[in-house]
């Protein structure tokens, strides 16, 4: 090792001088004169770089041995540790310096080195002398005004002289033996443990013959696997005279082979590998694999080198004997020996790919007999996951076993399934590579993509390997793919096989060409004979692809071309290639019985753009030749061509790739080539779009929630008096931009973008409408709060007056009791007496908040409407009201209008639906009318919910006028509905039951909100709540506490309720976001939610709940969301809800204290008073809390002047308040103390229920579109039996079992729609118009287990409910009864 360093600042570049020694054409070390460099170092001071010079054995080598050059950057005097270690380890030290100065701090070290025995060469930048040998091993060379080559030559001569006399050698790992040197692989625990595990495995291989290792340690991939592969090929390639008995015999033999393979023991070597691969530490696992690869390569290198030497010698002998006709016997002997050596060479090949092949065979043998091996420490089903993890981590996986020439299909399919499990079904671009042996295919791929395919002459890829390359986010904007999957193959015409390879080469080429979107055909040099061999194979493969309607593309790469700049030569080369391709196409066409006269008849091919010429890889002769920049440019050009092709290529998914492997391999086994491939369905793409729409809409709602809360606080604090839409649009601007970006990326980058584009415009319009609706609704709510704020002033003024009175008296009383200030008992009695008197006066002056009875008020208003003539048998005191939401049909609530144009018989026909088959027809209330009424009920219920929330009862209190408004609204909607185009009128019972049902449902919500109002405003409760607070103030006045201390305590008392409300609301919002993200049923779109609702219904098996879902889906959804949220809160209270509350308390406390501190500073700077302090304090908190100056308008604070004390008091009492709030927080108080509109389930209901609720006119299934009033047809993937809708065959009591989708496929089923006397074939249902025309019902004869199970499970309940039976024509098929509840639940994942 030669160590270069410098002392002080020198004019010459040390690194540049070293480069001239190693390679004049290449900057091995980066230096100050390199392009892009500078004279100053920013990062490199103290860094030591190392480079090796390797001798080629040539006469003109600069050094005769392998020499390591170490380069210390910066002044060596500043880096004593590096200097000491490397000068000791070096064979020769080379130092650059100016003329040594007697006072130079480095002179001592230099003298020490010169006196030592180790050779040293001094390069003096201010000296012009030539090479001088001062004494043995000591040299001096001047650099000033010297010629660079001359200096380099002298320096090289001096180093060689020193090395010839030196016996010291250098090992890099010895550096770690010096104290203070840290080695990553020793200090990193994962690396160390990985190496130890790899070494433990390698210890099992000690003293083992390399050629016997695979047989001993990897028995599953030996003879049995090869036998099975051969039998499998024979089985698929049956003879013309082969009988079924013989075919059956082959099956039996193959099963026996697999059983024998399964009985084989797993070696300790493989057990250790599997055990290590199953550890949880990912980094340790990766280090283990890397170390194992390194150690295996080291282990086999020596023996393989010896075998390769024999192989090359014997090959040379065979070539010589080929030319000598007289020595044919010797030739035969030599060829036999050559094949024997070739087999030894193959058996000696041992790497990670063979270990993974063994795991694959263990898995295949276990899968075949469907049981685990006795000595396998894990279940065999987890083995594919190990291989998938390795692929994700960047390791190649063997696709085709090169030794058996067979694809382990079961293993590969399982690995790809696991890959999909880990990554998702990603879009891939498959790049295949073909070429003759040792043509540089793997080297090209490694250079292009940074892969890890094995490269070295004589040890090339066997079979086929695949490796994943992740596409960067930047590149995804240019391409349609998430990953590139590279398939590298063994060389065609491989000598290593030692036998005729034509059939195998054709098989391999067909396989990889069929797999690839693009195939690179690699040709080394311009040898016409070699080119002819590969072109014949490739053209035949492409011709087969044409016959099976696969359309891969290809690029030819000529490597090692001598003069790639010669345009005319390249043109001639292209012309010659095309002529060869055309000739090969004609020959292949004869063999494949295909009509093709030229290569362009087989595949789209542009000879100008699809042929690339590559320069030599090295610039000069190895081993010291640097990479040729032209080769790198060629690689980049080819990469850009591949990327361009990828951007235009057909999208292939990982699962598609798995299917294609299976189809191609089975086709090759059968020697037939007719396949078909399946693309994704539109419904799948649309569901994905709906899921994204759900995320986009949630982004808007969650952003507006935060803004609404801030503006609400400001309104209550009278900081703002009106909210404009422009204000809200501004709040949403950032979210709007993010959503637009997300939408753009989704429509441009999704794998189904070609399908999705048809909905792009409509969804952009919907998102815009959604944003506008959210803004309008928020504006309405906030401006409603502004109006209510003004109405509340009277209530708040009275409360403020009471507080002022109590405060003044609490302040005056201590003055009267001044002489008794030390008598605590007397003071307490006096305060209690004063408080009782004050409380009595306040209570007597304030009208009490009586208990409310909402239903009593409802009945009173209804009685007034009907002037006391309510149906006596319809409503009785204390009776259960009829719940309109549980009514199955509205037939009893309507009176049909008389037709002005038709007879009575036809009018009656209008009101009924008739469905008939050859055996009868069915009559019931028109589905159109049923749907209209049900929609009215649901819409009125939804709107009244919003009205109740807008009353703000928790702040304003309940008033009978609220109920009056609700009833007036309901009445107006009912009148509006029946005065429309409908052909019926409502009986008064409909209006009464609708009012009672809605008010009964809202009763608890109104009562809960009024309770919050009463707790805040009832004089008795209020006085009792304030007692302790004012006693504390009284005590402080008695003790003559400073005004600032008293004022601080009062502020904290006033802050308690606003803090509590703020924390509760913030926690509720945070919890809503978390539930939306983490709760499985609520983290997707509406369809996902419905799937979980149906699963829950099946689990509970509650018929009543099923009827709720079928009749009023929206209400059931709301109820389910409420239950899910409640369950989540209860289950996660201690681990999620409580920590959120405490975090929000902490954050709010910090904000309040920050506001107090900044207010104190503001007052002190401006020499203000307490009024200025309070104004600053409340303004800073106006968007955080409902707290303003008016809350302290009655408190006298003119004498407060110690603001530091005020701040300290607030800090003290605030901590206690926060602790009280935190301690009182539990699963009971959380919902009770929150207004309904702030509760998580209400926020989530708003999000999920703003969608389409239209039901199928036949089976009442809900449209699954996530957008209300959406464009296009209604549809659902999950129709039901029409018998659930109560439809039965006419003149019978038999419910129908028809399902919409199967009935739609029928050619014998008819129905008579509303307003028509004509029969309409069910398959042409859209002809009926109205609601029928708006639905898209696709013929589907699939199983639909869920609703079939439901009908069987609840047959008796349905029959009792409808007063009909499933008999006769409506008998339930026996096949339906085979479905279990588990089948039904699992089927939801397939259909939804």
């Amino acid at each position: 090792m030669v160590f270069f360093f410098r002392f002080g600042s020198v004019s010459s570049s040390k690194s540049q001088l070293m480069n001239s020694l190693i390679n004049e054409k290449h900057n091995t070390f980066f230096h100050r004169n390199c392009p892009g460099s500078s004279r100053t170092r920013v990062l490199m001071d103290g860094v030591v770089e190392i480079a090796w010079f390797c001798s080629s054995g040539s006469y003109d080598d600069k050094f005769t041995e392998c020499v390591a050059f170490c380069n210390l950057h910066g002044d060596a005097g500043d880096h004593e540790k590096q200097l000491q270690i490397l000068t000791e380890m070096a064979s020769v030290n080379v130092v650059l310096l100016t003329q040594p100065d007697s006072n130079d701090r480095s002179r001592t070290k230099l003298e020490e080195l010169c006196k030592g025995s180790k050779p040293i060469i001094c390069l003096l930048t201010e000296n012009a002398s030539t090479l001088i040998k001062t004494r043995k091993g000591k040299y001096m060379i001047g650099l000033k005004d010297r010629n660079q080559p001359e200096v380099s030559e002298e320096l090289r001569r001096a180093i060689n002289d020193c090395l010839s006399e030196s016996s010291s050698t250098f090992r890099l790992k010895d550096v770690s033996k010096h104290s203070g040197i840290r080695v990553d692989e020793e200090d990193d625990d994962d690396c160390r443990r990985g190496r130890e595990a790899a070494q433990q495995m390698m210890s099992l291989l000690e003293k083992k013959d390399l050629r016997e290792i695979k047989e001993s340690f990897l028995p599953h991939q030996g003879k049995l696997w090869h036998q099975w592969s051969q039998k499998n090929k024979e089985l698929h390639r049956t003879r013309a005279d082969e009988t079924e008995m013989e075919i059956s015999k082959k099956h039996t033999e193959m099963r026996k082979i697999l059983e024998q393979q399964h009985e084989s023991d797993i070696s300790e070597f493989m057990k250790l590998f599997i055990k290590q691969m199953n550890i949880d530490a990912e980094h340790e696992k990766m280090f283990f694999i890397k170390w194992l690869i390194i150690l295996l390569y080291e282990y086999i290198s020596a023996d393989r080198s010896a075998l390769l030497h024999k192989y090359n010698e014997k090959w040379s002998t065979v070539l010589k004997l080929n030319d000598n006709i007289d020595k044919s016997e010797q030739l035969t002997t030599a060829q036999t020996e050559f094949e024997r050596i070739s087999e030894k060479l193959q058996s000696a090949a041992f790497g990670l790919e063979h270990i993974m092949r063994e795991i694959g065979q263990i898995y295949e043998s276990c899968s075949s007999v469907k049981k685990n091996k006795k000595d396998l420490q894990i279940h065999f089903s987890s083995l594919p996951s190990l291989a998938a993890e390795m692929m994700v981590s960047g390791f190649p996986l063997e696709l085709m076993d090169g030794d058996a020439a067979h694809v382990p299909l079961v293993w590969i399919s399982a690995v790809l399934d696991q890959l999909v499990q880990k990554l998702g079904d990603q879009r891939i671009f498959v790049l295949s590579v073909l070429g003759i042996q040792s043509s540089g295919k793997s080297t090209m791929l490694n250079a292009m993509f940074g892969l890890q395919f094995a490269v070295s002459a004589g040890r090339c890829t066997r079979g086929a390997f695949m490796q994943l390359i992740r596409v960067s986010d930047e590149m995804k904007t240019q391409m349609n793919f998430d990953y590139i999957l590279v398939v590298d193959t063994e060389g065609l015409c491989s000598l290593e096989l030692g036998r005729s390879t034509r059939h195998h080469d054709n098989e391999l080429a067909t396989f990889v060409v069929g797999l690839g979107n693009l195939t690179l055909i690699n040709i080394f040099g311009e040898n016409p004979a070699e080119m002819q061999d590969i072109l014949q194979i490739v053209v035949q493969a492409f011709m087969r692809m044409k016959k099976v309607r696969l359309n891969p593309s290809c690029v030819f790469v000529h490597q090692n071309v001598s003069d790639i700049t010669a345009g005319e030569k390249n043109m001639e080369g292209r012309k010659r290639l095309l002529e060869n391709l055309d000739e090969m196409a004609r020959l292949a066409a004869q063999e494949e019985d295909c009509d093709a006269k030229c290569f362009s008849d087989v595949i789209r091919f542009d000879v100008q753009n699809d042929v690339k010429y590559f320069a030599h890889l090295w610039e000069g002769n190895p081993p010291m030749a640097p990479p040729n920049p032209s080769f790198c440019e060629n690689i980049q050009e080819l990469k850009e061509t591949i990327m361009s092709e990828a951007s235009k290529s057909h999208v292939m998914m990982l699962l598609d790739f798995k299917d294609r492997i299976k189809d191609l391999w089975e086709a090759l086994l059968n020697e037939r080539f007719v396949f078909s491939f399946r693309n994704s369905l539109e419904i799948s793409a649309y569901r994905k779009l709906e899921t994204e729409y759900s995320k986009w809409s949630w982004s808007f709602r969650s952003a507006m929630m935060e803004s609404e809360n801030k503006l609400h606080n400001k309104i209550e604090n009278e900081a703002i008096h009106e909210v404009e839409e422009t204000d809200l649009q501004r709040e949403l601007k950032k979210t709007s931009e993010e959503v637009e970006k997300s939408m753009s990326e989704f429509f441009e980058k999704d794998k189904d973008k070609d399908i999705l584009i048809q909905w792009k415009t409509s969804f952009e319009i919907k998102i815009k409408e959604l944003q506008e609706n959210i803004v309008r609704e928020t504006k309405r709510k906030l401006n409603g709060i502004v109006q209510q704020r003004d109405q509340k002033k009277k209530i708040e003024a009275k409360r403020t007056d009471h507080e002022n009175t109590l405060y003044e008296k609490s302040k005056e009383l201590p003055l009267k009791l001044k002489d008794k200030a030390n008598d605590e008992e007397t003071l307490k009695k006096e305060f209690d007496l004063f408080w009782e008197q004050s409380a009595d006066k306040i209570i007597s002056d304030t009208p009490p908040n009586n208990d409310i009875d909402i239903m009593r008020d409802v009945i009173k208003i209804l009685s007034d409407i009907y002037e006391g003539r309510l149906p006596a048998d319809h409503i009785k005191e204390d009776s259960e009201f009829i719940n309109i939401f549980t009514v199955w049909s509205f037939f009893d609530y309507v009176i049909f209008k008389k037709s002005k144009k038709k007879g009575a018989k036809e009018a009656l026909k209008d009101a009924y639906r008739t469905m008939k088959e050859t055996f009868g027809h069915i009559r019931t209330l028109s589905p159109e009318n049923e749907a209209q009424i049900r929609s009215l009920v649901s819409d009125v219920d939804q709107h009244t919910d919003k009205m109740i929330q807008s009353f703000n009862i928790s702040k304003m209190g309940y008033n009978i006028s609220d109920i009056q408004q609700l009833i007036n609204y309901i009445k107006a909607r009912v009148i509006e509905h029946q005065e429309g185009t409908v052909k019926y009128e409502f009986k008064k019972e409909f209006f009464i039951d609708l009012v009672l049902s809605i008010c009964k449902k809202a009763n608890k919500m109104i009562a809960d909100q009024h309770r919050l109002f009463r707790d805040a405003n009832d004089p008795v409760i209020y006085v009792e709540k304030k007692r302790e607070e004012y006693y504390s103030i009284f005590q402080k006045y008695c003790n003559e506490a400073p005004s600032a201390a008293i004022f601080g305590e009062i502020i904290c008392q006033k802050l308690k309720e606003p803090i509590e409300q703020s924390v509760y609301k913030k926690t509720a919002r945070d919890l809503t976001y978390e539930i939306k993200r983490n709760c499985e049923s609520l983290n997707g779109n509406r369809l996902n939610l419905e799937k979980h609702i149906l699963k829950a219904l099946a689990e509970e098996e509650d018929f009543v709940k099923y009827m709720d879902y079928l009749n009023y889906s929206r209400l059931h959804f709301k109820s389910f969301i409420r239950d899910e949220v409640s369950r989540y809160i209860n289950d996660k209270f201690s681990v999620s809800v409580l920590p959120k509350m405490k975090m929000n308390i902490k954050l709010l406390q910090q904000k309040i204290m920050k506001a107090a501190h900044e207010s104190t500073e503001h007052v002190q700077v401006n020499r203000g008073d307490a009024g200025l302090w309070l104004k600053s304090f409340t303004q800073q908190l106006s968007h955080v809390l409902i707290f303003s100056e008016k809350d302290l308008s009655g408190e006298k604070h003119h004498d407060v002047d110690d603001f530091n004390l005020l701040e300290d008091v607030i800090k003290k009492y605030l901590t206690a308040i926060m602790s009280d709030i935190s301690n009182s927080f539990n699963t009971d108080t959380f919902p009770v103390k929150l207004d309904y509109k702030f509760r998580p389930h209400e926020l989530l209901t708003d999000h999920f229920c703003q969608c389409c609720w239209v039901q199928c006119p036949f089976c009442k299934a809900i449209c699954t579109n996530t957008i209300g009033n959406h464009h296009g047809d209604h549809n659902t993937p999950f129709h039901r039996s029409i018998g659930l809708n109560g439809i039965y065959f006419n003149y019978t009591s038999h419910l129908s079992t028809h399902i919409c989708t199967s009935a739609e496929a029928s050619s014998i089923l008819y129905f008579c729609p509303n307003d028509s006397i004509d029969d309409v074939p069910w398959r042409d249902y859209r002809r009926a118009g109205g609601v029928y025309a708006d639905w898209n019902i696709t013929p589907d004869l699939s199983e639909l287990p869920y609703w079939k199970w439901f009908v069987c499970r609840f047959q008796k309940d349905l029959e009792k409910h409808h007063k009909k039976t499933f008999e006769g024509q409506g008998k339930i098929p026996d096949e339906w009864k085979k479905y279990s509840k588990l089948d039904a639940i699992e089927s939801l994942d397939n259909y939804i």
Side-chain angles (χ1 to χ4, degrees), residues 220 266 274 358-366 373 376 383:
H220 293 80
I266 299 175
I274 293 170
E358 183 75 0
I359 289 179
Q361 286 309 304
I362 292 170
Y363 176 81
E364 290 225 346
S365 66
C366 291
K373 291 176 74 73
L376 183 60
L383 293 175

Side-chain angles (χ1 to χ4, degrees), residues 68 95 159 202 397 404 594 665 890 1008 1145 1200 1260:
V95 57
I159 291 172
M202 294 304 298
L397 181 73
C594 180
W665 182 241
F890 297 105
D1008 286 348
I1145 286 173
V1200 174
K1260 298 173 73 172

Side-chain angles (χ1 to χ4, degrees), residues 3-43:
F3 175 43
F4 278 73
F5 59 97
R6 67 173 171 82
F7 283 127
S9 177
V10 295
S11 57
S12 299
S13 169
K14 168 172 50 68
S15 298
Q16 189 173 9
L17 185 59
M18 294 178 74
N19 291 342
S20 68
L21 292 175
I22 301 169
N23 190 327
E24 295 95 334
K25 297 180 180 179
H26 182 64
N27 285 318
T28 305
F29 295 106
F30 192 74
H31 56 85
R32 68 181 71 164
N33 297 319
C34 284
S37 183
S38 64
R39 290 192 64 81
T40 56
R41 269 174 309 282
V42 179
L43 299 172

